[in-house]
Amino acid sequence: MSKTGMPVLANLLHKDLLTVYRDRFLVFLSLYPVVITLATRYVVVVAGTPHLDVYLAPGMILMAQFVVGTIVGFGLIEEREMQTWVALKVMPEGSRLAGIYYVGFTVLVSVLTGLLTAVIYWVAPRNVVMMLAGTLVGSLTGSVVAFALGSLATNKIEGLALTKTTGLALMTPILLFVAPPGWQAVVAWSPWYWSYVMLLWAYGGSEVAGFPLLKWPGYPPLLAAVVAAALGAGATAFFWRVYSRRAR
């Protein structure tokens, strides 16, 4: 990395932290995963439904990562409104460094937030290594949300509306409970679906195929990991390019 690279990244980090701190809505979003996870855990304990804790465990992680992507996405929208990206483009490697920063920052915070959510939810996975890998792979969904919001919304009002639309993608794993395995191919485009499959296997182990309510597709967890990673990375790269072109 060039000598100018570190100051650029440090300034971006400082600016983004101040943006979140000064915006009450973003502060609320930052606390949202913790509140929802605690409430969900309480409901699971009270309900006492068999395997419900396992069914919801992957969803808690992916929900938290979605929220991280939303927060970063609103930051990218502000970059467009303030034309900060235009200034970065005239700096040596400024645009490239900013893109790497936002992807790296979103992935890192998504991983940490996902793990924090998993700890708060407090359901032990059958395979810890697979759960950690699933959390890492799922973090790419956060960067997809961030750049999708940043590239498609021109202001925060549009961003709020678009968040509801992108939230539908987070719901694609529901087909595991309502559609036969063959019909689940209609959401094969969704990295959330594949990440959920991987995380559910991590929490439920090899016995997950016999869980009631679940229409298990039988995908090997390694396949789910590869597909989720490929779709997440591909969608992130696509929206990154779109954002870079539109942020003028």
Side-chain angles (χ1 to χ4, degrees), residues 232-248:
T236 296
F238 172 78
F239 284 115
W240 177 357
R241 294 190 184 96
V242 174
Y243 179 81
S244 185
R245 289 197 301 268
R246 293 184 176 179
R248 297 176 180 176

Side-chain angles (χ1 to χ4, degrees), residues 1-14 91-94 96-98 100-101:
M1 183 178 292
S2 63
K3 293 182 180 180
T4 59
M6 289 304 297
V8 169
L9 298 180
N11 288 335
L12 286 171
L13 178 60
H14 180 260
M91 298 177 60
E93 300 185 344
R96 184 179 68 86
L97 284 173
I100 293 173
Y101 159 77

Side-chain angles (χ1 to χ4, degrees), residues 79-151:
E79 297 285 354
R80 292 182 65 180
E81 293 178 325
M82 301 299 293
Q83 296 188 330
T84 306
W85 199 270
V86 177
L88 288 171
K89 283 186 174 182
V90 301
M91 298 177 60
E93 300 185 344
S95 180
R96 184 179 68 86
L97 284 173
I100 293 173
Y101 159 77
Y102 278 113
V103 173
F105 176 80
T106 307
V107 167
L108 176 60
V109 177
S110 292
V111 169
L112 295 177
T113 306
L115 293 177
L116 174 63
T117 302
V119 171
I120 294 173
Y121 190 66
W122 202 250
V123 171
R126 298 286 185 90
N127 190 314
V128 176
V129 174
M130 188 64 67
M131 188 275 285
L132 294 175
T135 303
L136 176 60
V137 170
S139 67
L140 290 171
T141 62
S143 62
V144 173
V145 172
F147 278 100
L149 288 179
S151 60

